[in-house]
Every structure is written in C-alpha cells, then in structure tokens.
Amino acid sequence: MSDYMFMLDSHLSGDQTRAVGQVRQVAEQSGLNLFLTGGAMRDMMAGFPLRDLDFTVEGPAIKLAKTLAERDGIEIVSIDEGRKQAELRLGGDVSASLAMARQEKYPKPAAKPQITPATIHQDLACRDFTVNAIALSVGGASRGLLLDPTNGLGDLARKELRVISNHTLYDDPSRLFRLIRFRTRLAFTVDDRTASQYRNVREAGLAEKISPAALGQELRAIATDPAAGDILKALEEEGLLSLISPALSGAKLNLASFSKLQKIQQSLPFGLQLPVDRQSLFLSTLVEKLTAKERLQLLGATNIDKATLDIALKLEARAAKFEKELAAARL
C-alpha cells in the first residue's frame, strides 16, 4: 500500500471506506481508470475531514453510476448529462460525485463550454484552482499514484489559492463564488495573480452573466459547508450575494441564526450518523426573514424549485410535531 493510500484510509469513515471499495470494484470490472479528485483530495492533503467523495473516471461515468445503482444501498441523486457527471448516495450518509474526465473549452467568457472526453491529466489542467487539481489513482495497477501537475500540494502547504490559468475566472465566473467560499472556509490567502484576475472579472461585469443554474449550484455547495454563515457574510461584503437576492443584506441576511446553526453543526462529532437535511435547514434559515415576493425572486435567480423551498419552510412545523411526540413518549 502506498503512503497516499494509507493516508486516504486513515481519513475515511467506515461507510466511506466501504463506498470507495464499491466504486473501485465496479470501475475495475468495467475496465475503467478511477481517481479520487477535487475537494476530497484537497481536504485530505490539507488535513481536513473528507465530507464528500469526488471520483473522476476515464470513460463513461454515467454508465458506471447506473451500474453502481443496481447495488443495494446505492442511489443516483442527480445526473448532469452535459458534464457527464452523477451525484450518488452510497449507503449510510456518504455522498459522492462521479464524473467523466473531460476537457472544457469556452468559446468566449462566461459562455457555455464545449465538453469532450479526456485523460485525467487533461482534466486536471482544466480545473479551477491548483488545490483542486490533485488526483489519486484508487484502482488498477496505478493504485496509489498521486498526480499533481499544477503543484497544488505546494499551494496547500502555503495555504494559498491560485487559479490554474489566465482565463479561469473569465471562462466560468461562478468560480468567483467558489474562490470566496474556499478563502473563507480554509482561511487561505489569494495569490496576487488570482486577486488581479478576480478584480478584472468583476470590473468587466462578468459576475452578472452567471446563469441561474450555476448560482443554484454554488448555493447548494454553501448549504453543506460547515462555515456557511461566514461564507454568506463574505459574499455580502464582496457584493456577490445580491446576485442570489438583492434582499439578502443587513438584518434580512439572518447572520445571527446562521451563527447558531454553524456552532451546532461544528459541535457534532465527525462521522456521527445523524440524518440531517442540511440543504433544507440552510434554505429555511436563508429565507426566514424574506417576504414571499423576495423568496420567489431568489428561486428564479437560482433555479431552485418551489417544492424544495416548501419542504424547507415546513421544517419548523415538523420539528415542533416531533418534539410533541417525543415528549408524549416519555410520559
């Protein structure tokens, strides 16, 4: 076993270990090269707990996801046909993404990318930040091989965020949100070239071209982040939160409730199997002080459907009902 595989095993919970084994087995049976990538590798190499698993496969990822879903306890949560990526739940409370190694070429800033299958090396070269462009082979003869073509490990050691190319934020302005999210949660600095690119993209007005779907994706990522309240505050200070909702400022941002929620979530032991609908909990707190009209505006800006909001708004009533049932059971 390589040092990196030993490091991976020491960071995984029992359910995560089983999940990695399941995905590796099916990938090997399909003759596909499988890698752990993205946030999972970033967090592992930086010494943080692995909250989600990010897999990249050189080949048909969605087909592989459907094969996995034939097994008990594994389900497909969503599929992105454009990016050839699936979100999975693999038993217990393990969430994972399974994506095709791909190249993304943007004909112009903020345009829809042209996506083609690629090798893992080509895939890493198209990512956003160097700390997210690290991969570990977890299957086949290359198991345990670490790939770090942009020196992401060096930037992790320096606690610095650096874009991969001179076009990173121009190509996909939703990465502006990601930059603030990582800077806040990881407490990393931003290197000068990246900071300059950030300013130039903002001055060019490209943030306003972020699609509702991309804004919704970023909002969902914030929802599951343990530092969600701090991230929202940072986005407000940067003037980016208004893209999600102009009403989310001042008292309506509800930072006091997010602070309480954040402390509770951070106090829970990592790996504790507690079924929590983090998305709904986050969304109910986010819109708590908004009017009905402002809530509808937020849904339109982020492509979040009304049914999802309705579930979030019913959380308090469901909690009160559960509390009464629990009290009655104790009598």
Side-chain angles (χ1 to χ4, degrees):
M1 180 184 294
S2 75
D3 291 342
Y4 294 117
M5 290 304 301
F6 178 81
M7 182 184 296
L8 174 62
D9 288 342
S10 66
H11 278 76
L12 297 175
S13 67
D15 284 339
Q16 287 174 328
T17 298
R18 285 189 288 274
V20 171
Q22 288 175 316
V23 179
R24 177 172 60 232
Q25 183 183 49
V26 175
E28 288 180 344
Q29 290 172 348
S30 302
L32 300 174
N33 296 322
L34 179 72
F35 302 86
L36 192 68
T37 55
M41 283 302 298
R42 179 198 66 232
D43 288 349
M44 183 184 84
M45 301 308 295
F48 296 108
L50 272 68
R51 297 181 297 118
D52 300 307
L53 300 174
D54 303 289
F55 295 104
T56 300
V57 61
E58 290 180 324
I62 294 178
K63 181 180 179 180
L64 181 63
K66 291 178 179 178
T67 302
L68 277 164
E70 295 173 359
R71 297 193 169 199
D72 291 338
I74 300 178
E75 63 176 309
I76 296 175
V77 177
S78 64
I79 289 178
D80 184 337
E81 289 287 354
R83 285 184 161 80
K84 306 301 180 185
Q85 178 171 321
E87 300 296 324
L88 304 171
R89 188 168 290 111
L90 299 100
D93 195 30
V94 180
S95 297
S97 67
L98 179 59
M100 175 188 74
R102 62 183 186 261
Q103 277 189 312
E104 296 184 355
K105 295 184 178 180
Y106 295 80
K108 62 180 181 179
K112 185 177 180 180
Q114 298 169 349
I115 296 174
T116 55
T119 65
I120 186 63
H121 295 86
Q122 293 169 323
D123 178 282
L124 295 176
C126 291
R127 297 203 170 212
D128 47 13
F129 307 103
T130 60
V131 297
N132 289 336
I134 306 170
L136 177 66
S137 175
V138 292
S142 63
R143 184 182 179 193
L145 175 66
L146 185 81
L147 302 175
D148 180 22
T150 62
N151 193 28
L153 289 179
D155 289 332
L156 284 173
R158 287 187 293 274
K159 296 186 175 182
E160 186 174 70
L161 293 170
R162 177 167 57 90
V163 290
I164 287 179
S165 79
N166 292 329
H167 309 286
T168 297
L169 302 181
Y170 287 95
D171 286 342
D172 184 358
S174 70
R175 291 167 175 166
L176 297 170
F177 279 77
R178 227 166 297 163
L179 178 63
I180 302 304
R181 175 159 57 91
F182 295 149
R183 186 194 70 185
T184 303
R185 176 162 68 88
L186 301 174
F188 280 15
T189 59
V190 177
D191 88 309
D192 292 341
R193 182 171 69 102
T194 301
S196 176
Q197 190 175 142
Y198 174 88
R199 290 192 298 270
N200 292 338
V201 170
R202 294 298 306 275
E203 290 173 2
L206 292 177
E208 285 69 28
K209 294 188 177 183
I210 302 174
S211 70
L215 284 175
Q217 183 176 342
E218 292 303 317
L219 193 61
R220 284 187 286 272
I222 296 169
T224 59
D225 199 294
D230 294 337
I231 293 167
L232 289 173
K233 182 180 179 181
L235 289 171
E236 182 195 23
E237 292 171 348
E238 292 290 330
L240 287 169
L241 196 58
S242 61
L243 297 175
I244 292 172
S245 171
L248 286 174
S249 62
K252 286 197 172 184
L253 183 50
N254 205 13
L255 289 176
S257 293
F258 274 112
S259 178
K260 292 178 183 178
L261 179 61
Q262 191 167 309
K263 288 178 181 178
I264 293 172
Q265 290 177 329
Q266 292 177 344
S267 69
L268 297 175
F270 177 72
L272 178 66
Q273 296 301 312
L274 187 64
V276 178
D277 186 347
R278 298 182 186 275
Q279 297 278 358
S280 295
L281 192 56
F282 170 85
L283 192 56
S284 67
T285 306
L286 185 69
V287 305
E288 183 180 4
K289 295 184 179 294
L290 300 186
T291 65
K293 182 178 180 180
E294 289 166 344
R295 290 172 180 176
L296 288 176
Q297 182 278 326
L298 183 146
L299 295 183
T302 58
N303 264 16
I304 295 176
D305 60 271
K306 192 174 183 300
T308 299
L309 178 61
D310 289 341
I311 292 172
L313 294 177
K314 292 176 181 177
L315 275 183
E316 189 172 349
R318 287 163 55 195
K321 180 181 178 182
F322 177 74
E323 188 176 2
K324 287 182 179 180
E325 293 173 348
L326 188 61
R330 289 175 177 172
L331 297 177

